[in-house]
């Protein structure tokens, strides 16, 4: 049914002017249709050249039951055109690839493909959108004159929106969904698969959950706060100052409106086909549409869908009797309501609800239709079972890759194993709509042995972030860097539950290192290390020991331990290695303001000896007002200082181990990037065959090399023998 365009209210011109305008508009529509047909004829593939000689007989002829079905469809079409003369002709029995008329419901062939993803609607939709090449309709305002079988469409991997929809509906019905093909009208962007005005799905932010209001209505209403007149005057001044900025924003909005595409002259008339999935079966909670070109789901109230003429599946055919003036927003999809949907073959003995001009003229027709509906059964599909091989399923892109242009973004997709580095998808984000300045690039990988699955490259900050799946030998989760050279700024995240020390993140620069921990028994959650400058003449080496940076300070942070008093629970401890100062800061109690502290400093004028722990009142500063007396005596402080000296020594070794681990991570990552290897699944038949072929080639090469070496050795032995005989003869 045509979707009516919104009409602006204008003054009524004379009748002659109206007729001229109408004739001009019709001429423009004819020209647009001719131009569209010329463009569609420029497609690379010629369907008239396909070979139909090997197709089964069901493709070339009609059975007795199919002929009866076509007669009944013609009878229904005559009734429909007589009672609804303003409606466009229905899409009921187009020609197939052999030039034989086939009813559209029998073209749907329910099939469940033997792949896990094909059991869900998202997997079926993505496969169809990736596997087929889109061809526009020859005339954008009329449905096609032919509808080929899904098996032919799968074989040649191309088709129009009706071919896409029938194939997708066949897969969905085979998977158990209540799916239907839809013949209707849509916008230019939807019909031409133009997504340049849409936001890429990967860039869409999840919807924010609305804040739930307190249902308690019995609340105390407080008096409104008094307002200052001075503040109101200041706000008024700020608003006046903000007016220029608002005008600039309006100008930007005007520029954006200019950039928007012009209004389509065929708006509301462009024919399109898509798939309808009703709620109920397969626990579908809500009815929705699927655009077969993109594989995306849409709400039934989406403004891109402008109207529906009819729908069908493998069981029946329904005609929409509702007004589509507001698109599909107000449509009811209760197919059992015959006031909204006129069914071609009633499933019960109910009468048809088509509008009639007079009861006398249509009594016989209705009685005949009632008999037909009660006795007729839909014949089985004339289409063979849809088959997709493992190799075709694993390599769904007919042109090697698929490129989708979005608003300020470009998405590229490849099949698995198509690239040596395992790249399967790339998303490029641009700063402008013309896609000239790159802001960010995201890449997704599959089947890599180093378990890398995503890489983000920020061109503004020049930062690269690698993300890894669980199972890496170094327990890597993410790695952010600008270069794989050491001490150039690296942030590494780990799967901390697999580590003994609970480390989940480490950031390192040339002068600092920060480590973050989780779920440790000692409640340590952060460690910060400061390094000094290297001595002059010392160059960077490959190991941490040979390239030791002087440790200036080590600072550790601990969570609160409820089992200890706050005055005895350390929150922060600082080891100033060069200054030989140790500082402890304790947690606060609930009502405390100043935390307890203990500071052990070096005695001025005294030389430091290795292994010596010297304590005096001169080098000790403490503030512990709530601690017990035993914590205030010198013996307790001496034992505490002894423990801290031992821990400081252990911390130095931990820092050196962390430096060595970072160098090892960088070396391993550099080796992995230089020698990328892909893991081949035993269930991947195509890749398994390629791997076997590569193994055989390697064996042949090794055998050839061994033969060449043997021949060289035999040649050298022959030369030595000849030389030996020559020397003997001379003697």
């Amino acid at each position: 049914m045509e979707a009516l365009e919104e009409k602006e209210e204008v003054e009524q011109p004379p009748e002659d002017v109206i007729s001229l305008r109408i004739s001009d508009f019709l001429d423009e529509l004819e020209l647009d249709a001719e131009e569209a047909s010329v463009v569609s004829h420029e497609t690379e593939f010629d369907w008239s050249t396909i070979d139909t000689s090997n197709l089964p007989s069901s493709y070339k002829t009609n059975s007795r039951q199919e002929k009866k079905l076509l007669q009944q469809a013609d009878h229904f079409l005559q009734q429909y055109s007589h009672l609804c003369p303003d409606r466009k002709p229905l899409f009921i029995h187009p020609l197939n690839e052999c030039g034989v008329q086939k009813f559209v419901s029998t073209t749907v062939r329910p099939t469940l493909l033997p792949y896990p993803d094909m059991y869900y609607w998202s997997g079926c939709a993505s496969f169809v959108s990736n596997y087929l090449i889109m061809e526009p309709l020859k005339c954008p305002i009329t449905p096609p004159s032919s509808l080929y079988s899904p098996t032919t469409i799968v074989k040649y991997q191309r088709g129009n929106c009706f071919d896409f929809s029938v194939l997708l509906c066949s897969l969905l019905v085979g998977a158990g969904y209540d799916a239907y093909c839809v013949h209707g009208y849509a916008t230019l962007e939807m019909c031409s698969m133009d997504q340049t005005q849409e936001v890429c799905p990967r860039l869409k932010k999840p919807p924010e959950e609305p804040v739930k209001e307190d249902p308690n209505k019995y609340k105390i209403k407080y008096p409104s706060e008094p307002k200052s007149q001075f503040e109101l005057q200041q706000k008024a001044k700020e608003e006046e100052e903000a007016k220029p900025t608002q005008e600039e924003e309006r100008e930007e909005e005007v520029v954006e409106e200019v950039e928007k595409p012009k209004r389509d002259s065929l708006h509301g008339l462009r024919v399109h086909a898509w798939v309808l999935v009703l709620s109920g079966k397969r626990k579908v909670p809500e009815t929705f549409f699927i655009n077969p070109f993109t594989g995306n789901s849409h709400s039934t109230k989406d403004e891109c869908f402008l109207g529906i003429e009819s729908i069908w599946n493998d069981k029946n055919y329904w005609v929409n009797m509702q007004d589509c003036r507001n698109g599909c927003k107000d449509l009811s999809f209760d197919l059992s309501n015959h006031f909204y949907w006129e069914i071609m073959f009633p499933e019960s003995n109910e009468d048809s609800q088509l509008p009639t001009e007079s009861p006398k003229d249509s009594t016989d027709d209705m009685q005949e239709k009632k008999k037909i509906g009660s006795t007729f059964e839909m014949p089985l599909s004339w289409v063979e079972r849809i088959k997709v091989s493992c190799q075709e399923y694993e390599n769904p892109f007919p042109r090697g890759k698929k490129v989708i242009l979005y608003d300020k973004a470009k998405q590229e997709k490849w099949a698995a194993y198509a690239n040596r580095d395992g790249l399967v998808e790339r998303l490029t984000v641009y700063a402008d709509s013309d896609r000239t300045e790159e802001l960010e690039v995201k890449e997704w990988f599959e089947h890599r042995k180093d378990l890398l699955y995503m890489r983000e490259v920020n061109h503004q900050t020049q930062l690269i972030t690698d993300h890894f799946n669980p199972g890496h030998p170094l327990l890597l989760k993410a790695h952010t860097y600008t270069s794989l050279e050491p001490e150039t700024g690296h942030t590494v995240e780990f799967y901390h539950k697999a580590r003994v020390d609970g480390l989940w993140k480490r950031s390192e620069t040339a002068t600092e290192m920060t480590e973050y921990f989780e779920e440790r028994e000692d409640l340590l959650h952060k460690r910060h290390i400061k390094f000094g400058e290297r001595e002059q003449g010392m160059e960077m080496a490959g190991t941490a020991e040979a390239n030791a940076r002087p440790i200036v300070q080590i600072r550790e942070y601990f969570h609160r331990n409820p089992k200890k008093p706050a005055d005895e629970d350390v929150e922060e401890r600082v080891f100033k290695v060069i200054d030989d100062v140790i500082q402890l800061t304790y947690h606060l109690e609930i009502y405390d303001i100043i935390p307890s502290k203990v500071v052990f400093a070096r005695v001025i004028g005294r030389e430091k000896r290795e292994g010596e722990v010297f304590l005096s009142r001169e080098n000790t500063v403490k503030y512990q007002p709530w601690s017990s007396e035993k914590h205030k005596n010198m013996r307790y402080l001496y034992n505490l200082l002894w423990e801290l000296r031992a821990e400081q020594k252990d911390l130095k070794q931990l820092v050196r181990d962390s430096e060595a681990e970072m160098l090892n991570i960088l070396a391993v990552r550099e080796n992995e990037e230089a020698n990328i290897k892909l893991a081949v699944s035993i269930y991947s038949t195509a890749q398994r065959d390629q791997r076997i072929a590569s193994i055989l080639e390697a064996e042949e090469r090794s055998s050839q090399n061994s033969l060449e070496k043997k021949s060289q050795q035999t040649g050298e032995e022959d030369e030595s023998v000849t030389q030996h005989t020559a020397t003997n003869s001379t003697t």
Side-chain angles (χ1 to χ4, degrees), residues 57-103:
S57 59
S58 60
Y59 286 61
K60 302 175 182 179
T61 59
N62 283 321
S63 63
R64 183 180 302 176
Q65 198 172 7
E66 286 179 318
K67 291 178 180 179
K68 184 179 179 181
L69 173 62
L70 292 175
Q71 292 177 358
Q72 294 169 2
D74 288 333
H75 180 70
F76 180 88
L77 191 58
Q78 290 176 1
Q79 279 188 309
Y80 173 79
S81 59
H82 176 67
L83 299 175
C84 304
D86 297 334
R87 298 279 297 271
K88 285 192 175 182
L90 297 175
F91 187 71
I92 292 183
H93 42 53
L95 302 176
N96 68 353
E97 54 266 45
C98 297
V100 180
Q101 275 190 344
K102 295 289 184 179
F103 189 65

Side-chain angles (χ1 to χ4, degrees), residues 441-443 445 452 454-456 464-466 669 673:
V441 177
K442 292 184 179 181
E443 296 178 335
F445 303 86
L452 176 70
M454 188 174 75
R455 173 173 291 157
E456 299 178 73
I464 304 171
T465 304
D466 295 340
R669 287 294 302 128
E673 290 297 326

Side-chain angles (χ1 to χ4, degrees), residues 681-718:
S681 173
I682 59 174
Y683 302 103
S684 178
T685 56
Q687 299 304 320
R688 187 175 60 204
D689 296 340
Q690 292 181 5
R691 189 174 183 180
I692 292 171
S694 62
I695 292 171
L696 293 175
E697 290 179 0
E699 290 179 353
E700 289 179 359
R701 290 175 184 174
S702 62
S703 62
Q704 289 178 359
N705 293 333
S706 61
L707 290 174
E708 290 177 357
K709 289 181 180 179
K710 288 181 179 179
S711 62
Q712 290 177 359
Q713 290 177 358
T714 54
E716 291 175 356
E717 290 177 356
D718 294 339

Side-chain angles (χ1 to χ4, degrees), residues 310-526:
S310 60
I311 65 174
W312 69 90
N313 61 2
D314 60 321
K315 302 295 183 184
N316 218 319
Y317 189 96
W318 293 263
V319 180
N320 179 29
M321 306 303 295
Q322 303 171 75
D323 187 6
C324 293
R325 193 166 299 174
N326 295 325
C328 300
K329 296 178 181 178
D330 303 329
L331 294 186
S332 170
F333 293 96
D334 182 11
L335 301 182
S336 61
N337 190 333
H338 296 283
F339 288 99
Y340 293 155
W341 297 93
E342 178 63 29
I343 189 170
M344 180 173 288
F345 306 109
E347 298 175 357
S348 62
N349 291 330
E350 297 177 1
D351 293 338
S352 172
Q353 298 297 329
L354 277 172
T356 57
E357 295 181 355
S358 62
K360 294 181 181 180
D361 297 338
S362 60
T363 302
D364 297 337
D365 294 339
M366 291 302 158
Q367 290 179 355
E368 184 179 355
K369 189 173 183 291
K370 182 177 179 181
K371 293 179 181 179
I372 292 171
S374 60
T375 59
F376 183 77
E377 291 183 2
M378 182 69 66
L380 297 176
S381 176
W382 54 274
V383 181
E384 284 190 328
R385 183 177 179 83
I386 302 171
K387 296 179 181 179
V388 177
S389 64
C390 293
Q391 186 174 1
E392 293 172 342
Y393 177 74
E394 293 171 358
N395 301 284
F397 305 109
R399 292 174 178 171
K401 75 172 185 176
K402 183 177 182 180
V403 180
I404 307 173
L405 299 179
Y406 294 100
D407 181 25
K408 299 181 181 179
K410 180 176 71 172
Q411 188 178 26
E412 301 169 271
K413 294 182 179 180
W414 292 268
Y417 303 102
N419 297 311
R420 293 183 178 180
D421 58 352
L423 180 65
V424 295
E425 185 177 350
R426 179 188 292 135
L427 176 62
T428 308
V429 182
Y430 298 90
D432 54 345
S433 300
D434 295 333
R435 293 179 287 277
T436 56
E437 181 183 354
E438 293 184 2
L439 293 180
E440 186 181 4
V441 177
K442 292 184 179 181
E443 296 178 335
W444 285 265
F445 303 86
E446 287 184 2
H447 308 296
R448 285 185 59 142
K449 285 191 175 181
D450 59 3
L451 300 179
L452 176 70
Y453 73 90
M454 188 174 75
R455 173 173 291 157
E456 299 178 73
V457 181
N458 192 325
H459 289 286
Q460 293 179 318
T461 60
Q462 302 301 320
L463 286 177
I464 304 171
T465 304
D466 295 340
H467 299 267
F468 300 87
N469 284 318
H472 193 276
L474 300 177
L475 306 178
L476 296 179
K477 184 178 182 180
H479 180 202
T480 303
Y481 59 95
T482 55
S483 171
L484 289 177
E485 294 294 326
E487 300 180 18
T488 56
H490 297 270
T491 300
V492 182
E493 295 182 19
F494 302 91
Y495 289 97
H496 67 278
K497 291 186 178 181
R499 291 181 64 103
V500 179
D501 56 357
L503 178 67
W504 75 272
K505 183 179 179 181
R506 179 187 289 136
S507 300
E508 184 189 26
T509 62
T511 58
E512 293 181 351
M513 179 189 292
T514 307
E515 296 178 328
Y516 302 87
F517 303 88
E518 283 188 3
E519 301 177 3
R520 282 178 63 109
E521 294 181 358
D522 58 359
L523 301 179
L524 174 68
H525 65 88
K526 183 179 177 181

Side-chain angles (χ1 to χ4, degrees), residues 146-374:
S146 59
L147 181 65
Y148 293 173
S149 63
T151 54
T152 300
I153 298 302
V154 168
K155 180 180 179 181
Y156 294 99
Q157 292 186 259
R158 58 182 63 243
N160 55 40
C161 55
F162 286 84
D163 301 321
F164 274 68
S165 300
V166 171
L167 176 58
L168 179 56
C169 185
S170 301
L171 299 177
L172 292 176
V173 173
Y177 287 94
D178 193 9
Y180 303 82
C181 297
V182 181
H183 163 214
Y185 303 89
T187 58
L188 171 62
E189 292 76 17
M190 184 72 69
C191 297
S192 59
M193 204 170 69
D194 182 10
Q195 303 180 71
T196 55
Q197 302 298 324
E198 299 179 9
V199 179
C200 180
R202 289 225 182 237
L203 299 177
K204 289 182 180 178
K205 297 180 180 179
E208 298 181 357
E209 296 182 359
V211 179
K212 295 182 180 179
E213 297 181 357
D214 190 359
N216 186 10
K217 63 180 180 179
Y218 300 103
K219 293 182 179 179
I220 300 174
K221 295 183 179 180
Y222 297 97
S224 59
E225 297 180 0
K227 296 181 179 179
S228 172
Q229 295 295 330
F230 176 75
E231 291 180 356
L232 294 175
Q233 291 176 1
Q234 293 296 322
K235 282 186 179 180
K237 289 181 180 180
E238 290 177 358
E239 290 177 358
E240 290 179 0
E241 293 176 356
K243 281 184 179 180
T245 58
Q246 292 178 357
E247 291 178 358
E248 292 177 359
E249 290 177 358
R250 290 176 183 174
E251 291 178 358
E252 291 178 358
E253 291 178 358
V254 171
V255 171
E256 290 179 358
E257 290 180 357
V258 171
E259 291 178 354
K260 288 182 179 179
K262 297 181 180 179
R263 184 172 177 81
D264 183 19
S265 59
L266 298 177
H267 183 77
L269 300 175
R270 293 186 180 273
V271 175
H272 190 55
W274 63 93
V275 174
L276 165 69
V277 180
L278 295 183
S279 60
K281 287 187 177 181
R282 291 294 306 274
K283 297 181 180 180
V284 176
E286 187 178 359
T287 301
F288 63 95
F289 293 147
I290 301 177
N291 182 13
F293 283 162
T294 61
N296 298 331
S297 63
H298 298 265
S299 171
T300 55
K301 297 181 180 180
D302 197 321
E303 296 180 354
C304 295
F305 301 95
L306 305 178
I308 294 177
E309 285 282 2
S310 60
I311 65 174
W312 69 90
N313 61 2
D314 60 321
K315 302 295 183 184
N316 218 319
Y317 189 96
W318 293 263
V319 180
N320 179 29
M321 306 303 295
Q322 303 171 75
D323 187 6
C324 293
R325 193 166 299 174
N326 295 325
C328 300
K329 296 178 181 178
D330 303 329
L331 294 186
S332 170
F333 293 96
D334 182 11
L335 301 182
S336 61
N337 190 333
H338 296 283
F339 288 99
Y340 293 155
W341 297 93
E342 178 63 29
I343 189 170
M344 180 173 288
F345 306 109
E347 298 175 357
S348 62
N349 291 330
E350 297 177 1
D351 293 338
S352 172
Q353 298 297 329
L354 277 172
T356 57
E357 295 181 355
S358 62
K360 294 181 181 180
D361 297 338
S362 60
T363 302
D364 297 337
D365 294 339
M366 291 302 158
Q367 290 179 355
E368 184 179 355
K369 189 173 183 291
K370 182 177 179 181
K371 293 179 181 179
I372 292 171
S374 60

